[in-house]
Amino acid sequence: MAKRSGERARCVTGIEGFDTVLYGGIPRSNTVLLTGSCGTGKTSLALEFLIHGATKGENSLFVSVTENSDKMLANIIPYNFFTDDLVESGKLVFVDLPVMYERLGMTKAELSMEEIDLLVTAIASLARELGTKRLVIDSITSVCYKLKTSEKIRDFVLKLSKALTDIDCTSILVSEVAAQSDSYSMFGVEEAISDGIVLMANMERRGDLLRTLQVIKMRGTMHSRAKYVLDLTPEGVLLVPLLKGGSTRA
Amino acid sequence: MSDKRVAQQVADELIDVPPSSAISLQMSVDHYLDVLRGVLDLFASRKEADVIYVTSTISFEAIKRVMEALDIDTSRVYFVDCISHIMMGASSGQTDEHTTLVESPTMLENVMLKVEYLIRLSEAKDKIVVIDSINSLAIHNNNWILSEFLHILVSGLRVRDVYTIILSVEEHSTPEINNMVNLVCDQGIRTGQKED
Ligand SMILES: Nc1ncnc2c1ncn2[C@@H]1O[C@H](COP(=O)(O)OP(=O)(O)OP(=O)(O)O)[C@@H](O)[C@H]1O
Ligand SMILES: [Mg+2]
């Protein structure tokens, strides 16, 4: 089939099964919410996305909010394809947001509207300086806790997403939700304004607990809406379709 | 039919099978060990293939002991064991880099994921996946899901030029299970007699 003109260029994540689900990758410069309850593999998937990017020569930036990046790296699954020279060469950069808050003098528990602008500008200029093509913020939920109102959250996510799109950067914003939540984000605002939503979850089937991944929306491309079962391995995230046969007989 | 001849028959019928083939291998209970010897001698020893051995019948430790007793070299055999976990206590739970445990034979997706992982790690030119056995998987899964599993597994392996061998035990099989296996396999072998 001929490519329709106007079809968006792709950021090929390098996570094979995930690219297949997305019909080729994330449309470039999309801001994607990667959402799920704790321990579902969000950080692992987001980091793998950056490592593949850096390996291909795309500058990648990991903004760590929840825990400091050294600690995160020590606890994450050791990927076979991760090499220290990705970091040494500056292709893969880790930044701790709390350090950034401090430098910007943002010491209060709640950020003001002006401070939001300042924070967005700081992240965007860093990304611009570094020539970042792939960015992860882990997690956006932790930033939102400092914003408190949905108005501020909306403002922050919209401005950030706009700034990153302007520099043609494809971004994954990690979002934390409670296990039984039927919303895709903690504050309900983040999901409405992101270009894509990828949901990671634990699914119980007759007593077995399976890790699943599902693309709920992705602007700019067709995608599978089916659930996939995933495994976090040193070779990266592997995906297979969730088998449906069992659901006919409990 | 003598033991040696069964192993020989299996090896003879498999030797010219091209990679990416899926083969159904049905045997009677008392031919089990001979079939095992025939398959592993051919693929692991002669063809120097990596063997990914999915066991849902007995624990990897038990099957490894059997192989060693038969003087089969297990250095190229990688086990995906989906039975040890649910038979708590039946195995020491000690695994090595040659063994991956799946929590339960009902987690068929995880079986596929572990197989995929081992295939990625393998540097051997030829790779083969052995399912031992479809009958024991059928104890834990309904035919619908099992059939879907076989279909996705085998088509995935085919495109990667990996052989699949699905073992079934005549005495434990049913016409439904045989149909399900025949649907995904290019060739059927029955020990003791020839099948087209
Ligand atoms: N070395 C490892 N080998 C295999 N699995 C691992 C390893 N390290 C971590 N894991 C698995 O990864 C899971 C955590 O993954 P990850 O940190 O990516 O999840 P997360 O969704 O970011 O969690 P959180 O909500 O805590 O941030 C753990 O539950 C564990 O099962
Ligand atoms: Mg995390």
Side-chain angles (χ1 to χ4, degrees), chain A residues 36-45 75-78 138 174 176 211 232:
Chain A
S37 56
C38 58
T40 49
K42 303 178 297 294
T43 303
S44 309
L45 185 124
N75 286 315
I76 207 93
I77 190 158
D138 186 3
V174 174
E176 295 159 35
R211 288 180 193 279
L232 307 171

Side-chain angles (χ1 to χ4, degrees), chain A residues 4-249:
Chain A
R4 276 184 302 134
S5 60
E7 180 146 311
R8 303 256 312 266
R10 298 307 172 106
C11 171
V12 178
T13 67
I15 303 163
E16 209 179 284
F18 192 45
D19 286 325
T20 309
V21 170
L22 291 171
Y23 286 52
I26 302 174
R28 230 164 64 195
S29 82
N30 265 8
T31 303
V32 177
L33 204 65
L34 177 61
T35 189
S37 56
C38 58
T40 49
K42 303 178 297 294
T43 303
S44 309
L45 185 124
L47 181 65
E48 186 181 350
F49 164 73
L50 294 188
I51 297 174
H52 289 310
T55 306
K56 281 197 296 187
E58 293 177 23
N59 290 351
S60 300
L61 176 62
F62 191 104
V63 180
S64 197
V65 188
T66 320
E67 54 185 352
N68 91 29
S69 43
D70 293 333
K71 189 170 160 223
M72 183 273 292
L73 284 172
N75 286 315
I76 207 93
I77 190 158
Y79 287 129
N80 292 338
F81 43 88
F82 178 80
T83 56
D84 287 333
D85 61 65
L86 292 176
V87 179
E88 281 153 17
S89 66
K91 285 278 159 220
L92 178 56
V93 176
F94 292 89
V95 173
D96 292 339
L97 199 64
V99 175
M100 219 158 170
Y101 289 146
E102 213 166 285
R103 290 213 189 113
L104 296 169
M106 297 173 181
T107 47
K108 286 201 265 346
E110 183 171 352
L111 301 184
S112 65
M113 282 293 198
E114 294 71 43
E115 286 174 317
I116 291 173
D117 286 340
L118 210 60
L119 185 61
V120 170
T121 311
I123 296 173
S125 356
L126 180 64
R128 189 186 315 258
E129 254 169 61
L130 294 170
T132 304
K133 288 291 159 243
R134 297 187 185 205
L135 177 137
V136 166
I137 299 184
D138 186 3
S139 70
I140 195 75
T141 313
S142 303
V143 181
C144 291
Y145 275 120
K146 276 179 98 74
L147 304 177
K148 309 266 201 272
T149 69
S150 23
E151 193 196 353
K152 281 186 188 169
I153 294 171
R154 170 178 289 275
D155 192 52
F156 171 69
V157 179
L158 274 178
K159 282 179 174 157
L160 182 68
S161 153
K162 163 110 185 26
L164 294 170
T165 303
D166 284 348
I167 57 169
D168 200 26
C169 176
T170 309
S171 316
I172 290 184
L173 310 181
V174 174
S175 147
E176 295 159 35
V177 288
Q180 298 311 324
S181 162
D182 48 13
S183 158
Y184 301 120
S185 56
M186 193 71 86
F187 303 92
V189 188
E190 312 92 291
E191 63 193 65
I193 46 192
S194 60
D195 300 312
I197 299 173
V198 178
L199 175 65
M200 297 180 83
N202 289 311
M203 192 195 91
E204 194 174 324
R205 183 180 64 199
R206 292 185 294 159
D208 294 334
L209 199 59
L210 299 166
R211 288 180 193 279
T212 63
L213 178 147
Q214 188 172 24
V215 176
I216 307 294
K217 81 165 178 184
M218 188 63 69
R219 288 184 185 137
T221 181
M222 293 194 293
H223 61 84
S224 160
R225 299 171 52 84
K227 262 189 194 151
Y228 291 79
V229 177
L230 79 126
D231 195 12
L232 307 171
T233 80
E235 288 288 296
V237 171
L238 302 180
L239 294 176
V240 293
L242 175 74
L243 301 176
K244 298 177 192 74
S247 58
T248 58
R249 205 178 80 177

Side-chain angles (χ1 to χ4, degrees), chain A residues 16 80 205-206 208-210 229-231 233-235 238-246 248-249, chain B residues 103-104 106-110 112-114 116-117 120-121 140-145 148-149 152 160:
Chain A
E16 209 179 284
N80 292 338
R205 183 180 64 199
R206 292 185 294 159
D208 294 334
L209 199 59
L210 299 166
V229 177
L230 79 126
D231 195 12
T233 80
E235 288 288 296
L238 302 180
L239 294 176
V240 293
L242 175 74
L243 301 176
K244 298 177 192 74
T248 58
R249 205 178 80 177
Chain B
E103 272 176 69
S104 145
T106 52
M107 297 174 97
L108 295 170
E109 290 90 345
N110 287 2
M112 290 194 267
L113 286 162
K114 299 304 179 193
E116 165 73 14
Y117 176 62
R120 285 195 186 209
L121 286 189
H140 302 275
N141 296 282
N142 68 46
N143 287 351
W144 287 106
I145 202 165
E148 201 183 348
F149 163 73
I152 296 176
R160 293 158 144 271

